Amino acid sequence: MNQPLTVFVRADSVQLQDFARLCGQHANPQDYPHCSEVQGNVPIYQAQALREGDRGQVLDELHRLFRDGPGVMVVRQGYADLNVVDRHSQVFDAIFAKEAAQGLTADHFAKAGSNGRIWNSLQKAALQSPSSFVEYYANPLLGLVAEAWLGPGFQVTAQVNVVHPGGQAQQPHRDYHLGFQTEDVVERFPLPLHALSQYLTLQGAVAHSDMPLETGPTLLLPFSQQYAQGYLAWRRPEFIDYFQQHAVQLPLNKGDLLFFNPALFHAAGTNQTPDRQRMANLLQISSAFGKPMESVDRERMMLALYPCLLQRLADQVLDAQELDAVIACTADGYSFPTNLDTDPPLHGLAPQTGQQLMRQALRERWTYATFADRVAQMSAKRQA
């Protein structure tokens, strides 16, 4: 009789040799036919190749990359029009100024003064400048990569990080969900839930500045997401030493995109320059089935963005794919949780989502007042 699998494991059970064997793999470019090259075991994609590729094949390839492959990818020229990125950087600058005036400067993940952080940059940017939000999040590549890992109905959250000159490197770590729990809490979860955690989010970043190596772009350890006990391992000295010896860094250009499995061991690097800031919009995209890290007032975002979307459709400057991309980043794409007494499914097995409501309103060209009324009705129906 085979020995039963131990599903509750302790931190002292981790084995560096098992981890090193997984991290010693090599990414074969032939396994990722849409990529242009592999650098440091990281597949590099050109944005145009992803846009023009067969959607089903691209989704399958990227999912395999995050699960069975190196777990990290770069998209060059994710934003071909850098003016879009620069305009959104100006929106972030305005938010930074507003929050500094309010005394909101704390960042729990870095030494005081070494960086700047905007929490919930998604909602704040939507309210600060709807027009910039629409053109920025109208990028279908964001949704393409997110759907490859998470499926439809994903929930976008975002946080801006600016690393000032001299900002120091982070300790290598894994990310939300279990990556944000203490070791003793992680030990209470059965090992299959450790694997499940990585399927609940996707980490991404939009480079808002050029990031040569001296500015400290993210250190990455390809294939490290495959180690089943990694949420118990990343704090241990021998794993930190291994990371520091084997992690890779790739320079990024403004407009490039970086995506990785949240279980990948990674860490922000040291900004060694005397006068250059490193700025990124960090995307933490959650599965429809998981709890996002940040609370986002999506109904307020829907109301703020609706007039701009309506006008852009009237001006014929937003195609259907771009419209879907904005709506996916704005409204909730999942029907639950809700109050099934007041919000029963009328056409199928699930009630209408915020995304479906927004698409219907734009398709039928509702007035703002009508849309606002229907959003209020939807909100009221979903209350317990």
Side-chain angles (χ1 to χ4, degrees):
M1 183 174 179
N2 293 331
Q3 183 72 19
L5 175 68
T6 300
V7 294
F8 286 92
V9 296
R10 297 183 56 82
D12 57 13
S13 70
V14 299
Q15 298 291 329
L16 181 61
Q17 61 266 33
D18 296 336
F19 181 72
R21 184 172 62 254
L22 290 170
C23 295
Q25 299 175 78
H26 295 282
N28 185 347
Q30 294 180 348
D31 292 334
Y32 312 104
H34 291 88
C35 84
S36 57
E37 60 178 325
V38 172
Q39 293 183 11
N41 274 330
V42 178
I44 310 295
Y45 290 82
Q46 299 299 322
Q48 197 64 22
L50 292 176
R51 293 191 186 100
E52 295 176 353
D54 177 271
R55 182 177 177 84
Q57 293 177 6
V58 170
L59 292 173
D60 186 76
E61 177 178 325
L62 298 185
H63 189 90
R64 288 188 292 101
L65 183 155
F66 290 130
R67 184 190 64 193
D68 305 319
V72 54
M73 62 178 289
V74 167
V75 182
R76 298 294 187 195
Q77 295 183 311
Y79 282 85
D81 185 355
L82 296 183
N83 291 320
V84 172
V85 178
D86 289 339
R87 282 192 287 270
H88 216 55
S89 293
Q90 292 170 7
V91 174
F92 295 150
D93 289 340
I95 296 171
F96 271 123
K98 182 186 298 184
E99 295 192 345
Q102 297 171 344
L104 302 176
T105 58
D107 180 3
H108 304 294
F109 297 123
K111 183 179 178 181
S114 66
N115 74 346
R117 178 85 66 163
I118 300 175
W119 296 112
N120 194 3
S121 66
L122 187 84
Q123 178 180 325
K124 292 173 182 176
L127 303 182
Q128 177 74 23
S129 178
S131 61
S132 180
F133 183 99
V134 168
E135 68 171 1
Y136 183 85
Y137 284 105
N139 187 341
L141 286 176
L142 303 180
L144 177 71
V145 180
E147 188 168 335
W149 184 237
L150 303 169
F154 52 82
Q155 305 164 83
V156 177
T157 61
Q159 309 85 32
V160 172
N161 192 39
V162 177
V163 180
H164 302 309
Q168 295 299 300
Q170 293 176 318
Q171 176 179 318
H173 60 279
R174 283 180 163 188
D175 276 339
Y176 186 77
H177 293 254
L178 284 184
F180 281 19
Q181 301 297 329
T182 59
E183 189 175 273
D184 60 316
V185 171
V186 175
E187 287 181 333
R188 296 177 61 189
F189 286 87
L191 202 56
L193 271 294
H194 292 215
L196 176 62
S197 182
Q198 66 181 268
Y199 287 95
L200 294 177
T201 58
L202 177 69
Q203 303 302 115
V206 181
H208 275 249
S209 63
D210 289 337
M211 298 182 185
L213 294 182
E214 57 267 25
T215 65
T218 303
L219 291 150
L220 308 157
L221 187 56
F223 298 102
S224 58
Q225 86 285 0
Q226 295 183 18
Y227 185 54
Q229 299 180 42
Y231 289 105
L232 292 168
W234 63 260
R235 295 178 177 88
R236 301 180 73 85
E238 66 271 28
F239 285 81
I240 294 173
D241 289 344
Y242 183 92
F243 177 90
Q244 292 172 342
Q245 294 173 28
H246 297 91
V248 299
Q249 276 180 302
L250 295 178
L252 299 176
N253 299 316
K254 185 193 298 184
D256 286 351
L257 308 175
L258 171 71
F259 290 98
F260 56 91
N261 181 315
L264 191 87
F265 281 46
H266 65 281
T270 298
N271 185 347
Q272 300 175 345
T273 68
D275 55 1
R276 298 187 66 171
Q277 294 190 139
R278 187 179 83 241
M279 181 176 183
N281 189 26
L282 307 179
L283 305 175
Q284 186 177 80
I285 309 173
S286 293
S287 161
F289 307 143
K291 292 185 177 183
M293 184 177 70
E294 291 189 301
S295 298
V296 179
D297 190 339
R298 298 199 179 274
E299 291 160 11
R300 192 177 176 193
M301 289 175 61
M302 291 164 67
L303 295 175
L305 296 170
Y306 185 74
C308 180
L309 290 171
L310 204 58
Q311 185 61 54
R312 287 182 179 243
L313 287 174
D315 295 339
Q316 297 183 333
V317 295
L318 202 65
D319 64 30
Q321 194 176 37
E322 293 169 334
L323 177 64
D324 280 346
V326 176
I327 292 175
C329 293
T330 303
D332 199 336
Y334 194 51
S335 300
F336 306 102
T338 191
N339 182 339
L340 289 170
D341 284 324
T342 55
D343 188 29
L346 299 178
H347 306 286
L349 298 176
Q352 186 180 45
T353 69
Q355 290 185 13
Q356 290 168 341
L357 176 65
M358 202 167 190
R359 289 193 187 95
Q360 180 185 359
L362 291 165
R363 183 174 62 250
E364 298 176 7
R365 302 298 194 266
W366 293 355
T367 65
Y368 178 82
T370 299
F371 179 63
D373 182 62
R374 290 290 297 273
V375 169
Q377 290 179 33
M378 181 184 70
S379 178
K381 289 192 297 183
R382 295 175 71 87
Q383 298 303 311

